Amino acid sequence: MQRENQEITASSPFQRKKDADLVADQVGLPCLIAEPALITYRSIGVGIFGMGARSLGMPLEKIALFMNSSQVSGKGQFLQAMQLTFREGAFAPYRVIGSASLVAWFLQYSVMGAAFQTFDHSLSKLFSVKPVYYGNELMRPRTRHDEEYSSSDYRMKSTIKSVLSPIMSAALETKVSNRAEVQRFFGKQQFAAIENGLKTTGLQRMAGPAFTPCMMRNLIMCQTTFILTPTTYAIYFPQEKKNKSSLFWYGLGMNIFVGNVAAITQQALWGRSLDYLAKHGQIRYSEVIREGLEKEGIRAFFTVPRWFSRVLMNCPVQGCLPYFYNEVLPLGEYTYLSAIKMFIYQPFLEEVESLQEKRREEVETT
């Protein structure tokens, strides 16, 4: 009975909240140092992963951008998008990648990771609820201790936290990435010409055109990646089938059949808004939606080919992100914290102790 209680306690929500603390304890690093260090580590890892994957998949992104614009219509839209993508050669899609795009990709994913972790942890403390599932927490079985967190009050606060965290993260991510995405959509020269003709404030210029649909798309994908996928996997996926492989495929499935089904509508609105901007010098979303529905009906914002092109672009990065975030990144946390302790914390602590010792000697002398 005592052993059973120990097992339950080890997998209880209280224990899940302390996974970062466990790694810190193993290394011998205070939690106040370890927690922000781990947020930084995970954010940089996600940023590097996103930048590399998006760079390699640039042709797929260009196809998706054309597919979700008004430049293709009627039959054979996917073929039209491919022709537009490669009309200037096989490597033409890569020529639109500038330093701004590389920086934006890194910041987009690293900021998304850092922002979500920061907002999730901060709001969790504010509302006294659990942070979202992470790492080994996804693999643990649910226990009777979870029933303590099933009250209506707790669920309401947890729901509010789960809604606010992705919204705040997506807003910050879009602020970082949207302008560079618009540049890749138009190309450097055309975008510069369009941007020079816009009457915008400095803040609006930094955010870039068509900010709202871009943010809504990012919100949907952030919610899918960091909330829906880990939460539903941890709670509802059969315990006996939980492993790294099932998490990988589950993350892909959620990305393809949940996140992208909703996000494609906002991607299409974003692309059509930019086409409208190029023609009229401004964006009026009501007119963009009206024109799209009049010409193509609902197909203006959702078709299977549009969805498929979006999946081709997004799935290799966003679909694999839950697996990378929850299974790959934790592998380096111990080494990373050990390096922090060896090269930063211990030298700092030794310096502080040395100064304290000198201070004591001065006091004793006087």
Side-chain angles (χ1 to χ4, degrees):
M1 184 68 179
Q2 184 178 2
R3 182 178 179 182
E4 180 183 354
N5 290 336
Q6 289 175 347
E7 290 176 353
I8 291 174
T9 302
S11 60
S12 70
F14 292 104
Q15 189 67 30
R16 287 203 299 265
K17 292 173 66 176
K18 297 295 182 181
D19 267 14
D21 297 351
L22 291 176
V23 179
D25 290 341
Q26 292 173 358
V27 175
L29 198 64
C31 293
L32 289 176
I33 304 295
E35 185 171 339
L38 285 175
I39 289 177
T40 303
Y41 163 78
R42 294 167 187 166
S43 303
I44 292 174
V46 169
I48 293 173
F49 172 78
M51 181 179 65
R54 290 290 292 272
S55 297
L56 292 174
M58 191 62 222
L60 299 176
E61 179 170 338
K62 287 295 290 184
I63 291 173
L65 291 176
F66 284 125
M67 280 291 294
N68 291 283
S69 71
S70 58
Q71 298 180 52
V72 298
S73 60
K75 296 182 179 180
Q77 293 184 11
F78 192 81
L79 181 59
Q80 294 176 43
M82 287 190 64
Q83 291 172 342
L84 288 170
T85 299
F86 297 106
R87 61 187 169 186
E88 296 180 7
F91 295 98
Y94 294 104
R95 288 198 286 270
V96 302
I97 300 177
S99 57
S101 292
L102 295 175
V103 172
W105 278 329
F106 175 79
L107 291 177
Q108 176 182 359
Y109 285 91
S110 61
V111 166
M112 174 181 65
F116 179 80
Q117 292 175 79
T118 301
F119 292 136
D120 181 63
H121 283 76
S122 300
L123 292 173
S124 294
K125 292 177 181 177
L126 177 64
F127 293 121
S128 299
V129 296
K130 297 180 296 181
V132 72
Y133 292 91
Y134 173 76
N136 289 332
E137 299 165 8
L138 277 69
M139 302 298 174
R140 292 178 182 151
R142 286 172 58 81
T143 69
R144 64 171 178 263
H145 284 264
D146 292 334
E147 297 175 3
E148 300 174 14
Y149 295 86
S150 298
S151 67
S152 58
D153 179 63
Y154 181 88
R155 287 180 177 177
M156 181 182 68
K157 291 189 292 185
S158 183
T159 300
I160 293 173
K161 187 266 296 186
S162 298
V163 170
L164 289 179
S165 297
I167 290 175
M168 298 164 75
S169 304
L172 188 56
E173 175 193 355
T174 308
K175 192 72 174 177
V176 169
S177 65
N178 182 57
R179 186 173 180 275
E181 288 193 44
V182 176
Q183 183 188 70
R184 293 194 298 274
F185 180 87
F186 286 119
K188 299 176 186 177
Q189 295 181 349
Q190 185 181 2
F191 174 62
I194 292 174
E195 191 176 45
N196 289 334
L198 297 177
K199 297 179 180 179
T200 56
T201 64
L203 196 61
Q204 290 173 324
R205 191 181 184 90
M206 288 175 59
F211 180 87
T212 301
C214 185
M215 177 186 162
M216 290 302 298
R217 181 204 65 197
N218 290 338
L219 170 60
I220 292 168
M221 299 313 300
C222 182
Q223 183 80 265
T224 303
T225 300
F226 292 111
I227 299 289
L228 289 179
T229 297
T231 301
T232 55
Y233 184 87
I235 296 176
Y236 300 111
F237 202 83
Q239 185 62 37
E240 66 277 7
K241 295 182 180 180
K242 285 185 178 181
N243 53 53
K244 294 181 179 180
S245 177
S246 65
L247 175 60
F248 176 80
W249 291 110
Y250 186 80
L252 284 179
M254 289 291 289
N255 175 272
I256 294 171
F257 299 109
V258 178
N260 274 308
V261 168
I264 190 62
T265 60
Q266 299 306 304
Q267 180 73 19
L269 178 59
W270 180 80
R272 286 180 170 273
S273 298
L274 294 179
D275 288 334
Y276 188 92
L277 172 67
K279 292 180 181 179
H280 303 283
Q282 61 177 337
I283 296 176
R284 298 178 63 183
Y285 292 114
S286 59
E287 287 298 310
V288 173
I289 295 172
R290 184 185 62 79
E291 288 183 3
L293 292 176
E294 284 182 355
K295 291 180 180 179
E296 301 181 53
I298 195 65
R299 291 174 58 84
F301 301 100
F302 185 90
T303 64
V304 172
R306 292 181 193 276
W307 166 75
F308 180 68
S309 69
R310 169 74 185 170
V311 167
L312 282 179
M313 178 196 83
N314 185 263
C315 194
V317 185
Q318 205 84 24
C320 297
L321 188 55
Y323 176 83
F324 179 81
Y325 184 75
N326 289 287
E327 291 295 336
V328 177
L329 284 179
L331 298 177
E333 289 181 350
Y334 182 88
T335 302
Y336 173 76
L337 289 183
S338 297
I340 292 291
K341 178 184 177 182
M342 182 180 299
F343 297 109
I344 298 177
Y345 178 70
Q346 282 185 338
F348 175 77
L349 188 62
E350 291 172 358
E351 182 67 22
V352 170
E353 291 176 348
S354 176
L355 291 174
Q356 289 176 341
E357 182 65 27
K358 290 180 180 179
R359 180 61 179 168
R360 282 195 297 268
E361 291 177 356
E362 291 175 358
V363 172
E364 291 174 358
T365 303
T366 56

